[in-house]
């Protein structure tokens, strides 16, 4: 409720949120490693395909969109609660790189 009110007040008073920063190579590497580590115990074709997609991603936004695929792979290997815990654990890796309005827990 409070975030919604804050957003409304920002819009009403013209206060804009800071745009996400541009990620450098080291930043992307750190995010890639965190995402890949979230499903490192998962094997199979889908997991291997996701690992390749993570390596090809060029921006934090592209990596952010791959979280859903990671969730599915983790949930298939373990269960949804483990998948939620691991994906939610990635939030700190994406803070500052993704618009704060897009960041949310699973």
């Amino acid at each position: 409720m409070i975030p919604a009110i804050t957003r409304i007040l920002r819009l009403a008073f013209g206060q804009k949120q800071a745009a996400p920063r541009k990620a450098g190579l080291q930043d992307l590497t750190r995010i890639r490693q965190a995402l890949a580590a979230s499903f490192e115990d998962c094997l199979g074709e889908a997991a291997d395909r996701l690992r390749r997609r993570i390596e090809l991603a060029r921006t934090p936004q592209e990596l952010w969109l791959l979280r859903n695929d990671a969730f599915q792979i983790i949930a298939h290997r373990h269960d949804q609660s483990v998948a939620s815990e691991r994906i939610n654990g990635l939030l700190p890796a994406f803070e500052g790189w993704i618009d704060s309005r897009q960041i949310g827990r699973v």
Side-chain angles (χ1 to χ4, degrees):
M1 176 94 169
I2 292 176
I5 294 171
T6 303
R7 238 176 300 165
I8 291 169
L9 291 174
R10 282 187 181 141
L11 289 172
F13 293 106
Q15 191 179 25
K16 295 184 179 180
Q17 293 182 342
R21 303 177 296 182
K22 290 206 175 198
L25 185 58
Q26 288 179 333
D27 302 315
L28 282 173
T29 299
R30 185 179 52 78
I31 298 169
R32 281 186 183 116
Q33 289 172 344
L35 183 55
S38 72
F39 67 99
E40 69 185 352
D41 62 339
C42 300
L43 305 174
E45 193 174 317
D48 291 340
R49 195 169 34 250
L50 181 56
R51 286 182 185 93
R52 284 190 296 276
R53 291 177 64 196
I54 288 170
E55 287 303 316
L56 294 174
R58 300 275 184 226
T59 66
Q61 292 79 11
E62 289 178 37
L63 291 165
W64 177 256
L65 295 175
L66 295 175
R67 291 174 319 121
N68 185 52
D69 295 330
F71 180 92
Q72 296 300 323
I73 290 168
I74 298 164
H76 183 73
R77 168 78 166 85
H78 299 284
D79 61 40
Q80 287 187 354
S81 65
V82 171
S84 293
E85 182 179 313
R86 290 186 185 186
I87 297 303
N88 289 335
L90 293 172
L91 293 179
F94 285 98
E95 287 177 353
W97 304 113
I98 303 297
D99 187 331
S100 62
R101 294 173 291 183
Q102 292 179 326
I103 292 183
R105 298 177 64 78
V106 177

